[in-house]
Amino acid sequence: MSAAPAAAFFDEMNVPDGGVRAGYEVISEWLKQAPRELLVNRKLEAEHFFRRIGITFNVYGDNQGTERLIPFDIVPRVLTSTEWQKLVRGLEQRVKALNAFIADSYGDREIVAAGIVPEELILQNPAFQPEMTHFTPPGGIHVHIAGIDIVRVDADTFYVLEDNARTPSGVSYMLENREAMMRLMPELFGSLRVAPVDNYPDALLETLRSVAPRSASRDPTVVLLTPGPFNSAYYEHSFLADKMGVELVEGRDLLVRDNFVYMRTTEGPRRVDVIYRRIDDDFIDPIAFNPSSMLGVPGLMSAYKSGNITISNAIGTGVGDDKAIYSYMPEITEFYLGEKPILSNVPTHRCREPEALRYVLSRLHELVVKEVNGSGGYGMLVGPHATKAERDTFAAKLKAHPDDFIAQPTLALSTVPCFVDSGLAPRHVDLRPYVLCGADGVRCVPGGLTRVALKEGSLVVNSSQGGGTKDTWVVET
Amino acid sequence: MLSRMADNLYWLSRYTERAENLARILHVAQRLAALPSAYAGASNEWESAIATAACADEFEALYPDGATRENVIRYIVDSSANSSSIKACIETARANARAVRTAITSEMWEILNEGWNEMRGIEFDGISQSALTQFLQRVQQMSLRFDGAAYRTMLRSDQYWFQRLGTFIERADNMARLLDVKYHLLLPEKEPVGGGLDYFQWSSILRSVNALTSYHWVYRENVKPWLVADFLILRPEQPRSLISCYLELNDYLDKIAEAYGRQGPAQHIARSTTARLQNAKMDQIFQSGLHEFLVDFIEENNKLGAAITQQYLS
């Protein structure tokens, strides 16, 4: 597969011969009839709505601490309920496999013994936490909240682009985007049956309570642990805590006494059973991990290992979601579940394998090369868009540290019409559904966060790189 | 509720209240400074403003050329060296509010955020008389609106009670300091009470707490120093008097104790201070020394603040 010509991109709304795909009929009709001024107004209203409720993110590396809005596009992205049903089955399977792999990584490592995953990919993974070896978290689940990034290339093919098993963010945009759309486009909601997403906070709370430690009362206390107001996702933290009706705590609000965790309240210390943490592993306990962390709770790890507190997601889940392990996900799924994977991986070349490296080096101009531990679209090479000099520099890096890289074909990401300055125009999108995994089952609200590359021709959807978002509608057809 | 959250609510209110009191002090100083000296008396109003804001030592170190209008305004309004300047108070109040966005109502947040945004657009260096007056008025309005928004929109739960505790502890402290300094300046040792005092000076105290008109309604007399003290210390009808503040503090501390099912040192201290104020007579206070009385009160008030922090906020 190589960079496809513009016409070859799969347009999720329009069929090349002039028709409209299932699920988009009403929207397409509405867009045709709406005068431009109406769309301009709705766009302004949306911006006003987001500005007023303060849904912003802080930009890393920007010393001004600027609070920015993520651009929002008013044209919804549609999935039919049939498409969604298939996705959900695949997502559930994927998260089960991820959980099984992480548990095994910290257990007997049967998958290594079976010769499927090389041991060093686990043990030398920077996200591997030796502290977790032979420790079973409450409920036996490591990943309670996963964000699985999905891309589409044609009518039938969805690929998993990336698994996020640490502290996936963005779910507040999914919820606020829907809130905004229901205000802006009531006429569309009136004629389409769009599956609701607003029960996500309840589903999240149920999931978290289901994995409370055994010593917890029948009404377990859940808190959301945030690094604080200066974190880029603070809005989301306070939003979720508010919607779940749980306390939003910082590290200094928690204390550990006799291996139990308490929060400091006006009525004295109060037991905490489940911590939904939005702090990375390394910062969560200055005694066990980074001693200079001011964000964490001293002694938390010891309470965790005594089985008195649930940390969600578990410590060390990053061992399952990096790009090197990603390439093994089909084998991982088969090994633990005995099933064929429902969702495909993007075909991936592991540069650590000499044959693959040779292939990648000879095809740099048509491949995307990614750093195994990189994220956010930084540190990658998009072959077709790179200059010869850039490719040569990258080739040198590749040869020096082949283990650090994987390569994938440039995907012909699907497009959805967006309302941009020039009018309606196709832009590339991806999708991040959120999968919740509790002791009482898997939950997945229909939809997710659609991210869109607003720059014409761009394939990078990350908000830090000029991406925006859309509301995602799962509709019955 | 989380102690940190209660702490944020408590200080949010203290700083808003403090900003208002500072604005009132400056407002009155400006008014007095504009009078011919025959009316205003010999004392330096700007010096008195600094003394009331309880920062004389630090000020002298920073401004060796003394309490000129420019120095005082710069120091009390926007000095970064003064952690209790009006600007710093509003900054701190907003930072506290931002940390507890979910615990305050959107009305309260918007008032503070708006006040903060407005303030950032002002250039205080060489600010004109009228622009300063306008700014001081806006600060007072902001505090009044904030107070009103809290009163009218907050759920009556411990969040509201801690927010109120901050308001009244700060108000009691500011009132006691204001009285102490004014008496100190206006009543030299050898001068008998009631002798040779200037109407404008005394009414300025009342004016700075917005109590000049109500004074006349209550006493139907000319402004007299012992009545001013009586009004601002012992009269429950006067909403900023020390006793009024303490009746409120008692009330909110009782509500908290009832909700939590236990009381502690904070309730005991508040109750005993209230009882002292209720049993006090103005002539006895003057006999044993108003200054001593006020110094004792400020100390007791600080003790209450420390007890609240110890008991609930840490």
Side-chain angles (χ1 to χ4, degrees):
Chain A
M1 221 184 305
S2 66
F9 291 119
F10 178 77
D11 186 316
E12 295 194 9
M13 180 158 94
N14 300 305
V15 183
D17 67 13
V20 171
R21 290 184 209 281
Y24 272 106
E25 300 90 344
V26 178
I27 295 165
S28 172
E29 195 54 36
W30 188 85
L31 285 172
K32 270 184 207 144
Q33 302 202 344
R36 189 185 155 82
E37 304 83 76
L38 180 75
L39 295 180
V40 170
N41 272 337
R42 296 284 162 95
K43 195 182 163 85
L44 285 174
E45 274 175 57
E47 237 183 80
H48 185 73
F49 171 78
F50 287 118
R51 175 98 40 206
R52 192 171 55 78
I53 58 172
I55 179 162
T56 55
F57 72 103
N58 304 339
V59 183
Y60 281 126
D62 180 342
N63 291 331
Q64 306 295 314
T66 320
E67 297 171 20
R68 270 205 233 160
L69 283 184
I70 293 190
F72 172 71
D73 183 67
I74 56 172
V75 182
R77 191 261 187 98
V78 170
L79 295 166
T80 66
S81 48
T82 322
E83 288 166 343
W84 176 251
Q85 287 313 322
K86 188 184 162 200
L87 269 182
V88 163
R89 284 200 307 280
L91 290 168
E92 289 185 2
Q93 182 195 50
R94 183 102 178 175
V95 175
K96 274 184 196 158
L98 263 177
N99 263 312
F101 171 72
I102 294 167
D104 191 26
S105 297
Y106 291 111
D108 297 334
R109 292 199 271 280
E110 289 172 16
I111 199 159
V112 173
I116 297 170
V117 173
E119 186 158 49
E120 68 264 27
L121 280 191
I122 296 172
L123 296 184
Q124 284 166 27
N125 188 318
F128 180 79
Q129 299 289 4
E131 285 265 343
M132 292 293 289
T133 310
H134 294 298
F135 168 71
T136 307
I141 299 164
H142 287 76
V143 180
H144 313 104
I145 302 122
I148 310 292
D149 292 346
I150 305 270
V151 293
R152 183 175 201 179
V153 292
D154 60 40
D156 305 308
T157 318
F158 291 87
Y159 286 125
V160 173
L161 191 61
E162 194 175 294
D163 303 292
N164 295 280
R166 303 175 201 202
T167 52
S169 63
V171 79
S172 58
Y173 294 101
M174 170 183 87
L175 296 166
E176 295 287 34
N177 286 355
R178 176 61 54 82
E179 209 50 49
M181 285 300 273
M182 293 188 83
R183 284 161 191 242
L184 295 174
M185 313 273 181
E187 60 273 46
L188 285 180
F189 282 92
S191 46
L192 277 173
R193 291 185 180 275
V194 181
V197 292
D198 53 7
N199 58 331
Y200 178 82
D202 285 344
L204 175 58
L205 184 60
E206 278 309 298
T207 299
L208 293 170
R209 288 163 62 104
S210 78
V211 290
R214 242 181 256 160
S215 61
S217 73
R218 292 180 57 179
D219 183 16
T221 302
V222 176
V223 298
L224 196 158
L225 176 61
T226 173
F230 299 106
N231 184 266
S232 66
Y234 183 71
Y235 173 81
E236 176 157 306
H237 306 161
S238 64
F239 174 88
L240 284 176
D242 205 26
K243 295 283 175 198
M244 286 194 286
V246 306
E247 298 288 358
L248 177 65
V249 301
E250 295 176 19
R252 56 194 162 124
D253 296 321
L254 298 179
L255 67 124
V256 176
R257 198 181 288 160
D258 301 328
N259 279 329
F260 284 92
V261 180
Y262 299 85
M263 57 178 156
R264 302 174 210 270
T265 79
T266 50
E267 295 174 79
R270 186 171 148 212
R271 232 336 257 288
V272 172
D273 303 303
V274 181
I275 298 175
Y276 174 29
R277 49 88 175 225
R278 298 292 295 259
I279 294 184
D280 292 343
D281 287 355
D282 284 348
F283 296 97
I284 208 160
D285 178 350
I287 295 177
F289 304 111
N290 184 347
S292 65
S293 169
M294 309 290 289
L295 306 172
V297 186
L300 183 58
M301 203 55 198
S302 164
Y304 187 42
K305 295 190 73 180
S306 308
N308 296 329
I309 184 85
T310 300
I311 297 177
S312 176
N313 289 341
I315 304 293
T317 52
V319 77
D321 76 354
D322 79 2
K323 294 183 179 76
I325 292 299
Y326 164 89
S327 67
Y328 292 92
M329 277 310 286
E331 292 94 324
I332 286 173
T333 307
E334 290 214 49
F335 180 76
Y336 294 109
L337 307 181
E339 299 167 6
K340 287 275 172 211
I342 300 168
L343 291 172
S344 318
N345 259 12
V346 180
T348 302
H349 310 281
R350 302 166 190 138
C351 300
R352 63 200 318 277
E353 296 167 3
E355 202 180 317
L357 177 64
R358 268 196 303 279
Y359 175 84
V360 170
L361 286 170
S362 70
R363 300 287 182 98
L364 266 188
H365 59 285
E366 59 187 49
L367 295 173
V368 176
V369 189
K370 296 175 176 174
E371 219 169 329
V372 170
N373 294 303
S375 73
Y378 296 103
M380 66 190 245
L381 176 85
V382 182
H385 294 178
T387 62
K388 169 113 188 12
E390 284 168 337
R391 287 201 297 271
D392 289 347
T393 317
F394 215 88
K397 277 209 295 195
L398 255 177
K399 280 182 216 159
H401 305 282
D403 288 7
D404 292 348
F405 297 93
I406 53 133
Q408 294 169 338
T410 314
L411 291 176
L413 294 192
S414 61
T415 64
V416 177
C418 291
F419 186 61
V420 293
D421 292 340
S422 58
L424 287 170
R427 292 289 183 265
H428 296 289
V429 294
D430 80 350
L431 174 69
R432 175 180 288 184
Y434 296 88
V435 187
L436 299 172
C437 195
D440 54 349
V442 180
R443 298 174 174 89
C444 188
V445 300
L449 177 66
T450 290
R451 297 186 298 178
V452 44
L454 286 171
K455 267 185 247 159
E456 189 171 2
S458 168
L459 293 167
V460 185
V461 296
N462 303 76
S463 57
S464 51
Q465 313 250 322
T469 68
K470 277 171 171 294
D471 193 13
T472 314
W473 293 5
V474 173
V475 300
E476 281 172 31
T477 46
Chain B
M1 75 191 292
L2 283 179
S3 297
R4 177 174 52 83
M5 195 176 266
D7 190 60
N8 284 138
L9 286 165
Y10 173 81
W11 283 104
L12 157 63
S13 301
R14 283 198 72 156
Y15 278 106
T16 315
E17 181 72 22
R18 193 175 296 177
E20 179 192 334
N21 282 302
L22 290 169
R24 286 177 181 283
I25 288 166
L26 275 189
H27 194 70
V28 169
Q30 185 154 268
R31 220 184 136 93
L32 278 174
L35 284 174
S37 55
Y39 294 86
S43 69
N44 177 346
E45 261 317 307
W46 297 110
E47 215 161 81
S48 138
I50 285 293
T52 318
C55 45
D57 291 350
E58 201 186 75
F59 177 83
E60 273 162 30
L62 278 168
Y63 300 97
D65 55 331
T68 62
R69 170 182 184 269
E70 283 65 36
N71 286 350
V72 170
I73 288 171
R74 183 168 310 162
Y75 185 74
I76 294 188
V77 173
D78 81 323
S79 164
S80 53
N82 176 6
S83 62
S84 280
S85 69
I86 294 180
K87 205 166 164 184
C89 285
I90 294 175
E91 297 266 4
T92 314
R94 181 184 180 269
N96 275 287
R98 187 164 185 258
V100 287
R101 268 297 296 276
T102 54
I104 59 174
T105 62
S106 53
E107 284 85 352
M108 292 163 75
W109 164 253
E110 277 165 20
I111 289 163
L112 280 178
N113 200 34
E114 197 184 293
W116 177 76
N117 271 317
E118 201 174 308
M119 181 184 76
R120 288 202 308 170
I122 298 177
E123 180 52 66
F124 289 102
D125 247 2
I127 189 170
S128 72
Q129 188 102 351
S130 63
L132 179 66
T133 307
Q134 197 186 4
F135 170 70
L136 297 174
Q137 271 169 358
R138 294 292 290 161
V139 172
Q140 292 176 45
Q141 278 165 10
M142 182 194 78
S143 170
L144 283 174
R145 287 169 62 215
F146 179 77
D147 209 44
Y151 179 69
R152 293 177 63 143
T153 61
M154 266 188 104
L155 193 66
R156 290 324 191 241
S157 68
D158 47 0
Q159 300 183 349
Y160 179 68
W161 303 329
F162 283 109
Q163 190 268 331
R164 292 275 108 174
L165 287 184
T167 304
F168 289 109
I169 281 255
E170 186 68 26
R171 191 173 292 173
D173 175 85
N174 294 177
M175 175 57 82
R177 284 179 199 283
L178 176 72
L179 275 171
D180 190 31
V181 170
K182 290 290 178 179
Y183 266 86
H184 195 62
L185 283 177
L186 293 179
L187 205 62
E189 303 257 322
K190 48 186 190 299
E191 196 134 12
V193 172
L197 289 160
D198 194 300
Y199 169 83
F200 290 101
Q201 286 285 1
W202 284 108
S203 55
S204 78
I205 299 178
L206 290 169
R207 200 187 291 279
S208 66
V209 294
N210 214 7
L212 184 55
T213 311
S214 55
Y215 172 91
H216 291 294
W217 278 101
V218 171
Y219 295 102
R220 302 191 178 281
E221 270 205 63
N222 233 341
V223 176
K224 296 203 165 69
W226 56 93
L227 292 183
V228 171
D230 181 64
F231 195 40
L232 298 181
I233 295 174
L234 299 181
R235 292 300 282 254
E237 307 91 303
Q238 160 53 245
R240 302 186 78 89
S241 69
L242 300 186
I243 194 163
S244 280
C245 292
Y246 264 76
L247 290 172
E248 300 276 3
L249 286 169
N250 255 319
D251 192 28
Y252 291 118
L253 282 167
D254 282 351
K255 285 193 163 85
I256 292 169
E258 197 183 328
Y260 294 171
R262 58 167 176 257
Q263 47 177 297
Q267 280 80 7
H268 298 302
I269 294 172
R271 217 167 287 147
S272 89
T273 304
T274 312
R276 249 173 25 135
L277 289 168
Q278 280 170 325
N279 297 328
K281 298 274 177 296
M282 210 60 227
D283 49 352
Q284 286 167 359
I285 292 178
F286 267 98
Q287 255 164 32
S288 52
L290 179 67
H291 174 67
E292 286 71 20
F293 176 86
L294 290 169
V295 167
D296 277 357
F297 176 84
I298 291 168
E299 199 174 302
E300 281 298 304
N301 195 52
N302 285 342
K303 255 190 225 161
L304 176 59
I308 290 173
T309 298
Q310 166 79 26
Q311 205 169 319
Y312 298 114
L313 309 181
S314 56

